[in-house]
Amino acid sequence: MSNATNPILKVEGLTVDFLSDDEPVRAVDDVSFHVGHGETLVILGESGSGKSVSTSTVMDLIDCPPGDIVAGSCLFDGVELSDLSAQARRSINGRRIAMIFQDPLAYLNPVYTVGRQIKEVYESHGAGSGKDARAKTIELLRRVGIPEPENRVDFYPHQFSGGQRQRVMVAMAIALKPDILIADEPTTALDVSVQAQILDLLRDLQRETGMALIMITHDLEVASSMADRIIVMNGGKVVETGIAKEVFSNPQHAYTRRLISALPPGNAAEAPNKRSTAIASETLLKVEHLTKHYVLASGAFSGKRTFKAVDDISFEVRRGETLGIVGESGSGKSSVARMLLGLNAPSSGKAVFAGENIFEMNEKRLMAFRRKVQMVFQDPYGSMNPRMRVYSIISEPWAIHRDILSKNRWKARVAELLELVGLLPEHADRYPHQFSGGQRQRIAIARALASEPELIVCDEAVSALDVSIQAQVIDLLADLRTRLSLSYIFITHDLPIVRHFADRIMVMKDGRIVEEGQTSALFGAPRHEYTQSLLQAVPKPKWLTHAQ
Amino acid sequence: MTIITTDTKSVTAPGTGRLLLAYLKRDKLALAAAIFLAIVVLAAILGPWLVGDAASRLGLRQRNLAPFSLGSGWIYVLGADTLGRPILARLIVGAQNTAGIAAAAVFASMLIGGTLGLVAGYSERWYSHLILRLADVVMSFPSLLLALIVLYTLGPSITNLVIVLAVTRMPIYLRTARAEVLELRERMFVSAARAMGAKPARIIVRHIAPLVLPTLVTISAIDFATVILSESALSFLGLGIQPPDFTWGAMVANGRGYLTTAWWIAFWPGLAIMLTTLSLNILSNWARTVADPQQRWRLQTLRKAAR
Amino acid sequence: MITYLGRRASHSILSVIGLLTLVFFLTRLTGDPSALYLPLDSTAEARAAFARLNGLDQPIHWQFLEYLRNLLHLDFGESLRQNRSAMQVALEAFPETLKLAAVAITLSTALAILVGSLAAARPGSMFDRVASLISLAGASAPDFWVAIVGILVFAVGLGLLPTSGTGSWAHWIMPSFVLMLRPFGLLVQVVRGTMLSALASPYIKTARAKGLPRHKIIFGHALRNSLLPVVTVAGDLATSLVNGAVVVESIFGWPGIGKLMIDSIIQRDFAVVQSTILVTATAIFILNIAIDLLYAVLDPRIRY
Amino acid sequence: QDAAQEIRIVLPEQPANLEPCGTIITNVGQILSQNVVEPLTVIDPITGQPQPKLATEWTSVDPTTWRIKLREGVKFQDGTELNADAVAFSINRMIDGKITCSNMAKFGDAKLTVSPVDDLTVEIKSDRPEPIMPTLLSVVMIVSPKTPVDQAVNDPVGTGPFTLSTFSPQTVVLDAFDGYWGKKPEITKATYVWRPESSIRAAMVETGEADLTPSIAIQDASNPETDFAYLNSETTAIRIDTAEPPLDDPRVRKALNLAIDWEGLAQLFGDDVKRASQMVVSGINGHDEALEPWPYDPQEAKKLIEEARTAGVAVDTEIKLIGRNGIYPNGAEAMEAMMTMWQDAGLNVKLTMLDVADWLRYLQKPFPSERGPNLLQMMHDNNKGDAAFTVPIFYRSSGSYSTLADPAFDKEIDEALAATGEARTNNFKAIFGKARRQVAGDIPMFHMIGYTRVGTRLEWKPDITTNSEIPLANIAIKD
Ligand SMILES: Nc1ncnc2c1ncn2[C@@H]1O[C@H](COP(=O)(O)OP(=O)(O)OP(=O)(O)O)[C@@H](O)[C@H]1O
Ligand SMILES: Nc1ncnc2c1ncn2[C@@H]1O[C@H](COP(=O)(O)OP(=O)(O)OP(=O)(O)O)[C@@H](O)[C@H]1O
Ligand SMILES: [Mg+2]
Ligand SMILES: [Mg+2]
Ligand code: NI
């Protein structure tokens, strides 16, 4: 399987800096790896350890300057990539090496339909055009599990759910069956069943075309189910590298050991958890018959078409409680969250927060309400103003609600919050674009915590974090819950995490709640068949399946 | 021009000034532009005091004196105008009125137009429609007619002149600001700010305006020339600046009939207008780079690691 | 969409009516036309007769009612100067302006997009600097200056082009060139600025990763995302041209509406002023509606 | 028809209309007058005396009645015969007041009645003696009786050698009229276009795009071969508002005249301008060749002002100098220069430049209330041969531009107007003399020069009438 002697891609001694007036930031430090035909290399590593930067360098996506490739070589199929002309590299990109980006919303062009953006791959590499390309596009979308691809092909990125966008990215990347696919966290927003489908798709492709796969993931289960070899990165360096099974069963480096130990044991039912201990009986939020229809782009003369994304759901959250929402990608979870925050108007229904219907609040009441409720968005990059420094981003709640914190303490508090989420105080001076995906997500969490709310809606808030930092953040959230009797609505695809953290779980599918119950009860005896399929779809390590 | 400081002050307060200076030095063209503008500003402040007399002294017997004729003294290097007054002195003295009127008009129209545009773009209430239709009305209203009406109802004065110029230039800022807001308000970070409880005013000022401003500043830098030149057209009606006061625009207009015979009369003030506009633009592009964190590296030292 | 258009149209019609009312009353604040129409040495009687003849002796609100009544019969009044229907005068001049404005705006926008995008693609390069300098110099040069020097050089000196007038295609070259200067300069700057931001967006990385050719990245992805302000500014420039390109029209003897409007204003030819404003305002309102619709086409996130 | 016989004329302004009753308006007259429509008499540019045109003879029956004999065999361009009825029709159309008739202004408030005597004779009666009736008849354009009486027209039909063939916003085209009564002109077709920019007009003639352009700016008249200067009958002046102190003091008014560096100022208007001492040019009946203009004497001016000051005149009061934009080439510069010179002389003069409509309020009675002491830039054009078109409006207390109120002077003026022959001339001369020496109610500046560029193809020279007419019949083509 592994073709170490003749790898299709061989990266040697890659070192990448980011330049500015200050000392250069070293993002990648002497990183080497290689991957062969049909092989899967998984890059594990701490959030911010240089995974995305090093793979982007392979595709010539780092702008130099401000980036600076200090050293290193990338041999692709025996050719040194940095020797090639820009034109030659372009013709390799997309056709022979393709990439799935980490933050799908930002990486999709907002003004073009996804169909057009995928079609473009075919057209620019002369692999079909017009009707033919469109048909191929629709077929691709179907393969990545987008419902009604014939219609959806003409939708714009903002009309998709987070997971759907991620699948669009996947579709775009595999369109031309590249020799190497670099997948940067390709399943962070996917529920287990869709995730399995995507992983199967990738495996099929590998079988079919001998595609080499470089997969960056924080998800150890996914890693184990895909990897032939693994490298582990930390602080810009490769700290461990080896055959997947070896690394999992016998980790060498301290960081790797910490990672592997964070993997939940086989039977997680009775593992220690972080569920809350003191839930008040007081109902904080009560949602009744909430419905959301999206109006779909209507031509001037066709009637309005609508899409029912949230269909008559009711639930409640008590003070100090964590409600986990899991469900199929595209089932309306984010839509519910946005409506609760008053960002999208509901089509009908009520949401009573502390005795008052959110949807009928006047400006002033809404202000007061929003102080008590915060949200961590699914697309952290987009949710931060690109012109603001992290300091301003995190301190913004205090600037809005003047009574939270007096101005002279902001600086210290920002530093404190950054440290709580595992970042450095000096990161406060940076801008959002200077961070890695996981780091941005943590900034978003820090901001949500800053205003000391009563309820935080976390939409895939920890999905891009590696297991160790994930654990740190969950601990932090749990701690705040006990101390401040915070409540959470925790939207995630990650079953181990909800199981670990949520008190009650709500399962959504197709805009409806299919099942709801106490965490242990639900995990112990799932009633709905979708829930059952979710719980079963846990990926199995590759070396086990392979052995059969 | 103001340099857009989104939030630099909050973090790097101590060194901001020095940092900007360093950025300016890194862009030689911007440095030259800044120096030129500084000269114009100096001329505007000190001009009347320095060469005020020379600028208004008649010299009917040396009308249209050609430039670079050395016999008449250094003040005549750029030649003399139709009444034999030294053009150099008039350029220096004219800087005050020119810069004053143009800056006031451009700034007022950008401020008012920009603000209204932000409001009209962000809000969907009745007043946003009203603002837009008013802008349409202003756009359809011939500026000359407006000038005439102001002249007849309010009388000629520099303030009224500035009002007319500002009002007629306003729609472009209004509509541009609005167009940008239409897109920006759909961005996630705006939703995020709303979710945090930020009032519309804060969202507009803190989140949207900094992204709209660069475009407005770009427009205003060019508008500077437009305003100077249209000011001279209005003086035809008696609303513009009245002799013995004058502006570069008036000087250009004055030399209009002499392009064939005494090109220098219209050329030098035209050149001054052009250089000023050019400098403002270069500086606004520079400011745009400074204000955009993703572009700022262009002006930074970029110390590379040793290899 | 339909409802939006309907509402928008009705608002616009109301605004135009408001505009006309405003113009009607305000123009009459700007002095009595009779002195302008009669020789300086004519008698008071002659002036009174003139006022009577043209209905200027009536109280102003009465004149306004009369004007409205005539409007209903599509009678826009008689030109004092030209002895014929004011609307006819306006409608004769308008297409000439429109043609010239359309050529100038289309060409300058297209060119500016090209030049501005290329400049933004390589900020700080020689091309960027030169393009900026030239476009800005053009935009800030006094237009009559360029026009007259152009005539002196190309018509008188080189004999390549006609000095002025209308007729052959050669007559179009200089007027449209002069008209293009300002829009071109402004648009190059606007395009360059917005393109710089767009080119730094993550989706450009996607496009690069897809292996799109450079021109598709620049013109397909970045440009499309920066068109909103470009379209707006181009639209505004178009309106200012629709309102008349006075200098160009008068220097080149182009029989357009700008010169007509100025002359009518100076001469207090009220009926013509009102008619030209009605014509240009209608065009401007339609243009603005079109631009607003274009926003929604250009950016799917914008919905009305 | 031969292109060689066709010419193009480029005018400064578009004629707003082509109503023959408005031929005293420069851009209408330059197209229509003597080309499409013809008057009864024309003024000789040198002597200022009326000459026959459609009228062949005229006699004064009594002081208020004139009998006019018409030319025989003249046909209008629509085929109608010229006869007494047609002339009566044209004059009645002019005086009826159903259309706005600019030419009528020359008659002042005179009431006329016209009666045909026989087929080719008409009698014109006025309500008061009109000794210069034949001169006045040069503004009466005879139009076809088929012309609407109650409506101004843009398609005039007259007896001239050319018919109007097109009038569009871009051109006016005249074609030769085959049935013309007089000598057939060499030119067969004339196209008129307009460009406001003087340098462009000059350039058009230079490149051969046009053959002739009247009134180019002095600085564009750079080619002695094609550019002709002509005294254009315009006289520039500043009117002093004698009613407002300190301008009611003759010393101050004289000082104003003396403080100007006339030679220097003349630089603005070219070498050929003539310093004016009175408001009419030579060739106009009443012009006094011997009358000296004010000299430049700043010392004397200062002295006069000091005298006035000691006599208690508030010489430091702010005096408004009111200019009009575009009144004549370099007009604004002249105002600026004069303001500076007066300030140097110690007067507090402040300049305001106004647009026509606003300026007119100051020019004509009734003057704005609280106008304050003011000096008004103006220009007077009398090419009609007689000082009667000048004196009463400027100097009689009833004159619409007059700020004077001197009954004795009024009486002198009335006498002059009623006089004829030698006496008339001398009376007018005396009036101009008094106005210059004693009253000093105005500051005559210059008799202006116009420049016309005539293409090398044409044989033609401008003269004093060029501002009001360009008879195509007088233009010959060189071969
Ligand atoms: N433009 C930039 N300027 C400065 N530093 C940067 C820039 N881009 C990335 N970095 C830094 O480089 C380091 C590596 O980033 P990278 O995106 O590769 O992390 P990652 O391993 O992908 O992390 P994650 O799992 O969180 O996505 C991070 O510490 C980040 O802060
Ligand atoms: N603006 C919109 N216009 C039309 N359809 C939309 C819009 N936003 C979301 N949808 C659709 O509504 C459905 C629910 O979207 P939502 O974002 O709530 O899903 P989700 O449960 O958060 O999924 P994921 O886990 O993938 O993020 C999806 O099918 C999506 O395509
Ligand atoms: Mg990453
Ligand atoms: Mg979602
Ligand atoms: Ni995960």
Side-chain angles (χ1 to χ4, degrees), chain A residues 444-466:
Chain A
I445 294 172
R447 171 169 69 179
L449 296 178
S451 72
E452 296 171 4
E454 293 175 21
L455 172 68
I456 300 184
V457 182
C458 298
D459 195 353
E460 302 284 9
V462 294
S463 62
L465 304 182
D466 62 299

Side-chain angles (χ1 to χ4, degrees), chain A residues 17 19-21 23 26 65 68 343 367 370 374 377 382 384-386 388-389 392 396 400-401 429 431 433, chain B residues 6-7 11 23 188-189 191-192 194-198 202 207 291-294 296-297 300-301 303 305 307:
Chain A
D17 278 358
L19 306 180
S20 72
D21 268 339
E23 285 299 313
R26 178 138 301 178
D68 179 24
L343 296 176
M367 269 277 287
R370 281 177 164 159
Q374 290 294 313
F377 287 84
M384 290 176 223
N385 189 331
M388 282 189 176
R389 289 175 199 270
S392 313
E396 181 155 31
I400 295 171
H401 307 286
D429 269 354
Y431 291 91
H433 73 273
Chain B
T6 44
D7 60 340
V11 183
Y23 288 162
M188 279 278 286
F189 65 83
S191 301
R194 266 198 292 155
M196 273 184 279
R202 183 183 169 82
H207 292 272
D292 186 346
Q294 295 202 54
R296 199 174 294 161
W297 59 266
Q300 295 180 332
T301 10
R303 266 181 287 160
R307 47 190 88 183

Side-chain angles (χ1 to χ4, degrees), chain A residues 51-52 102 184-185 436-438:
Chain A
K51 306 184 292 289
S52 303
Q102 197 174 0
D184 196 349
E185 308 274 14
S436 78

Side-chain angles (χ1 to χ4, degrees), chain B residues 41-60:
Chain B
V41 170
L42 267 179
I45 297 169
L46 303 177
W49 173 74
L50 277 176
V51 284
D53 274 347
S56 58
R57 198 186 315 124
L58 287 185
L60 286 171

Side-chain angles (χ1 to χ4, degrees), chain C residues 30-32 35-43 45 47 49-50 52-54 78 80-84 92-93 96 144 147-148 151-152 155-156 161-167 171 250-255 259 263 266 268, chain D residues 13-14 16-19 24-25 97-103 105-106 108-109 111 151-154 168-170 194-197 199-200 203-204 206-207 209 324 355-360 363-365 379 389 393 400-401:
Chain C
T30 62
D32 171 17
L36 289 165
Y37 283 90
L38 297 175
L40 294 180
D41 40 3
S42 52
T43 58
E45 270 160 64
R47 278 191 217 136
F50 176 84
R52 191 160 4 91
L53 216 53
N54 294 294
E78 289 273 314
L80 288 177
R81 257 157 35 97
Q82 307 209 13
N83 304 340
R84 56 200 186 113
E92 249 171 36
E96 299 297 329
F144 73 83
I148 294 178
I151 291 176
L152 292 179
V156 182
L161 297 170
T163 56
S164 54
T166 56
H171 285 102
S250 68
I251 289 185
F252 291 103
W254 201 272
K259 179 88 165 57
D263 287 348
I266 303 257
R268 313 293 191 270
Chain D
E13 279 302 322
Q14 173 180 17
N17 56 61
L18 291 180
E19 166 56 48
I24 64 162
I25 301 165
K98 291 191 187 137
I99 56 168
T100 304
C101 182
S102 303
N103 290 7
K106 295 286 170 212
D109 49 5
K111 299 273 171 294
Q151 212 185 329
V153 296
N154 286 324
S168 75
Q170 292 157 73
W194 32 86
R195 305 282 184 270
E197 207 70 39
S199 52
I200 306 300
M204 287 175 75
E206 191 177 334
T207 61
E209 271 175 63
R324 185 192 119 190
D355 94 309
V356 194
D358 213 0
W359 170 84
L360 279 172
L363 177 72
Q364 291 174 335
K365 282 178 180 163
M379 180 169 76
F389 298 106
I393 45 169
S400 61
Y401 308 165

Side-chain angles (χ1 to χ4, degrees), chain A residues 187-188 195 218-219 463 470 493-494:
Chain A
T187 59
T188 44
Q195 173 177 305
H218 66 279
D219 195 320
S463 62
Q470 219 171 48
H493 66 280
D494 212 323

